[in-house]
Amino acid sequence: MEQKINTLKVVDAQENYSGLVYNFGAGPAMLPREVMQLARAEFLDWHGSGMSVMEISHRSDEFMSIAAQTEADFRDILDIPDNYKVLFLQGGASSQFAMVPLNLLADKKSADYFHTGTWSGKAVKEAERFCQVNVIADPEVGAGGGQMMSIPEQKTWSLNSDAAYVYYTDNETISGVEFPSIPEVGDVPLVSDMTSNLLSRPLNVSRHGVIFAGAQKNIGPSGLVIVIVREDLIGHAPKHIPSMYDYAVQAKNDSMFNTPPTYSWYMSGLVLKWIKQQGGLKAMEKLSHIRSGKLYQVIDDSDFYHNSINPKYRSNMNVSFTLNDDSLNEKFVSEAKDHGLVALQGHRSVGGMRASMYNAMPEEGVDALIAFMQEFECSNG
Ligand code: PMP
């Protein structure tokens, strides 16, 4: 194959390889090294087809087999019951902020939303275009400034029995607040944005009507959003909505109403195989607790670093923290980078630091971060 590419200089990726860094970015995020190596090995010639997956038609037998295997592994890992469809769509997780109300409202006029941070806040804003939104937890009330430091106790929730669905963001990626368990909401369909923690722990899918996740954190590259939707919730969208936004159209066409993001779909398939090899979601959960547990411990033991989230609701994926002297932020980020620890700055809306540690982050990455943090504290504390 390489001889055909005579106008481009083909360089061995290894030749230009400048070494390993641990990427703590919130997404697109680090992918497992073994997956990247396999993708590189298969890049020019997928399984003897003479083509890259990027060049194969989505309707070809080759891609159909990749798509089917990816879905089968996804269902297997999450133990998804047969009465749920799995859709591989485009438009990112943000597209679901609109698709959920468009498809689930049916003849209802309102929906309940937990507003626990930035991403649920965006979902609330989008839903308000389509229905009356009953906000259950509201960080705008009080000192939260758009972020919750905790999730209010269940006894304070005023759920609306006539709501079409109840919506929550399982893990708020920016502040690092995570629901420790699935909220109890009675018979109303439950919808969850699990963009930043799907596949990080075992999950009871059957407690939900819809679960969705942008791929770019725990699943694969960006460009893909995976939607798990209970079959009885499909087919209620009003006729005037765009076909692309109708779960029924996407389900009927096996997510191939148009050209899907084939390469992201394929890469996600490799990641799923990797998760299985590691021991599935129980192994992912164990590793996530080890990583976040170690880091929170170091933060809590120090007067130099601080995390303000109620420990019961602290995220296992995104650990946010501040330095007791803000003027050291830039120095911290730049010296961390020199140690091969990149993308530690917090989201631009909140500042501070954030270490995002998805499935692909090895324990050694966190150990390296902790060693650096302790050294930085000694020199600057
Ligand atoms: N929900 C959550 C929890 C997220 O973290 C993000 C992205 N960081 C989104 C939604 C939006 O995802 P996308 O950019 O794929 O639309």
Side-chain angles (χ1 to χ4, degrees):
M1 284 305 288
E2 282 180 13
Q3 275 139 1
K4 289 188 196 156
I5 311 171
N6 48 18
T7 52
L8 290 173
K9 184 175 183 294
V10 180
V11 288
D12 180 356
Q14 211 75 46
E15 210 178 278
N16 278 359
Y17 182 55
S18 58
L20 244 184
V21 297
Y22 293 113
N23 174 6
F24 291 90
M30 208 171 154
L31 291 173
R33 189 121 297 248
E34 297 94 311
V35 166
M36 299 300 277
Q37 282 163 339
L38 179 57
R40 185 179 64 185
E42 297 186 338
F43 187 70
L44 288 179
D45 180 7
W46 183 80
H47 293 202
S49 66
M51 294 175 278
S52 169
V53 173
M54 226 180 257
E55 304 168 301
I56 299 176
S57 162
H58 56 299
R59 307 213 184 269
S60 64
D61 290 346
E62 289 94 341
F63 188 75
M64 288 300 216
S65 73
I66 291 172
Q69 188 61 51
T70 304
E71 179 173 339
D73 286 335
F74 187 72
R75 284 185 172 276
D76 186 31
I77 289 172
L78 277 162
D79 199 12
I80 300 177
D82 290 344
N83 62 327
Y84 284 77
K85 289 270 184 227
V86 177
L87 306 175
F88 293 80
L89 306 180
Q90 304 181 58
S94 302
S95 65
Q96 297 310 307
F97 298 166
M99 281 178 82
V100 165
L102 284 171
N103 285 274
L104 264 55
L105 278 171
D107 53 355
K108 304 266 187 180
K109 304 259 173 303
S110 71
D112 289 353
Y113 276 69
F114 285 93
H115 181 182
T116 48
T118 304
W119 293 108
S120 45
K122 284 185 192 269
V124 165
K125 269 220 166 66
E126 193 71 4
E128 280 170 343
R129 297 163 71 113
F130 308 107
C131 66
Q132 188 201 316
V133 172
N134 172 32
V135 175
I136 303 167
D138 192 353
E140 307 296 347
V141 178
Q147 309 296 336
M148 282 270 174
M149 298 301 135
S150 191
I151 291 169
E153 294 293 328
Q154 184 169 354
K155 59 179 184 301
T156 68
W157 304 347
S158 66
L159 297 165
N160 167 7
S161 60
D162 202 35
Y165 57 91
V166 181
Y167 180 106
Y168 74 107
T169 302
D170 203 27
N171 182 63
E172 281 287 357
T173 321
I174 291 179
S175 52
V177 168
E178 187 168 16
F179 277 78
S181 56
I182 301 170
E184 294 284 348
V185 299
D187 293 335
V188 178
L190 185 59
V191 175
S192 186
D193 174 358
M194 297 198 181
T195 295
S196 47
N197 66 348
L198 188 68
L199 302 183
S200 70
R201 59 185 184 189
L203 172 67
N204 186 349
V205 171
S206 67
R207 293 271 310 278
H208 296 84
V210 177
I211 295 166
F212 66 88
Q216 65 271 22
K217 295 157 198 296
N218 268 326
I219 309 176
S222 59
L224 176 71
V225 52
I226 305 188
V227 183
I228 306 168
V229 51
R230 215 173 62 210
E231 278 171 354
D232 62 289
L233 297 172
I234 299 177
H236 307 291
K239 293 279 166 281
H240 65 265
I241 74 161
S243 310
M244 287 284 288
Y245 271 29
D246 188 340
Y247 287 150
V249 171
Q250 296 289 5
K252 187 163 164 254
N253 289 279
D254 294 324
S255 311
M256 297 209 192
F257 178 67
N258 74 328
T259 317
T262 51
Y263 202 77
S264 296
W265 195 328
Y266 152 77
M267 285 292 289
S268 302
L270 299 187
V271 172
L272 294 170
K273 286 257 178 280
W274 177 86
I275 291 175
K276 280 182 142 180
Q277 273 167 15
Q278 304 302 303
L281 298 186
K282 284 213 172 92
M284 295 298 108
E285 181 179 43
K286 190 169 165 215
L287 182 58
S288 84
H289 285 158
I290 292 174
R291 283 186 311 241
S292 62
K294 279 184 175 185
L295 189 49
Y296 283 123
Q297 191 65 54
V298 167
I299 294 168
D300 290 345
D301 286 349
S302 122
D303 294 328
F304 188 78
Y305 301 108
H306 183 67
N307 170 287
S308 357
I309 311 292
N310 177 342
K312 198 170 151 196
Y313 303 104
R314 281 174 168 177
S315 169
N316 285 303
M317 298 280 102
N318 312 96
V319 176
S320 60
F321 59 96
T322 50
L323 276 55
N324 68 3
D325 176 358
D326 267 358
S327 70
L328 289 170
N329 285 356
E330 250 177 63
K331 190 174 181 216
F332 180 91
V333 171
S334 122
E335 289 185 11
K337 195 170 173 201
D338 294 342
H339 283 70
L341 308 163
V342 304
L344 279 160
Q345 60 277 23
H347 190 268
R348 60 192 182 281
S349 62
V350 293
M353 302 300 148
R354 174 178 51 175
S356 297
M357 303 177 296
Y358 301 116
N359 286 344
M361 175 61 71
E363 193 179 341
E364 301 84 70
V366 186
D367 291 340
L369 174 61
I370 288 172
F372 166 73
M373 285 170 71
Q374 290 174 332
E375 191 186 306
F376 189 86
E377 179 174 352
C378 274
S379 325
N380 298 277

